[in-house]
Amino acid sequence: MNAQVKNALESALLAALVFAVCLWLVLSAEDSGSAVRAIFGGMGMGVGYIAHIAYVGVGLHRAGRSVWPWTVAMVLLPGVSVVAMVLLSSAAGEAPESP
């Protein structure tokens, strides 16, 4: 796998993990009056989602694919990012690594 594409995919997975942890923090609140937890959880979810889309876009760009159609699709349908990451990981595994 191309090292640059691999790094972008790993960063995208880490950003998705940040999103998931913040979502868990918001949903697992024991008291409904925890405004600070909800605010920071929501901010973390937003940052994680934007970073995930950005890193998948970087991976697409480094793999030589068009970025904008995939980015629009990822914003409209969040499951498209999984398809893009699988496509990148399978295509990068077949391509020879550049020097």
Side-chain angles (χ1 to χ4, degrees):
M1 178 180 281
N2 188 352
Q4 293 178 340
V5 175
K6 183 182 175 201
N7 287 341
L9 290 178
E10 290 171 352
S11 299
L13 286 173
L14 185 63
L17 180 66
V18 168
F19 175 83
V21 167
C22 290
L23 178 65
W24 177 76
L25 286 174
V26 169
L27 294 179
S28 69
E30 295 178 9
D31 55 340
S32 60
S34 179
V36 174
R37 187 175 185 170
I39 290 170
F40 283 115
M43 287 173 43
M45 286 170 46
V47 168
Y49 184 66
I50 291 169
H52 176 73
I53 290 174
Y55 282 122
V56 173
V58 167
L60 288 166
H61 178 70
R62 289 179 178 171
R65 299 192 177 265
S66 59
V67 176
W68 287 107
W70 282 99
T71 303
V72 170
M74 282 187 284
V75 169
L76 296 176
L77 300 167
V80 172
S81 67
V82 174
V83 174
M85 290 175 64
V86 168
L87 179 70
L88 283 175
S89 66
S90 66
E94 296 171 359
E97 192 168 322
S98 61

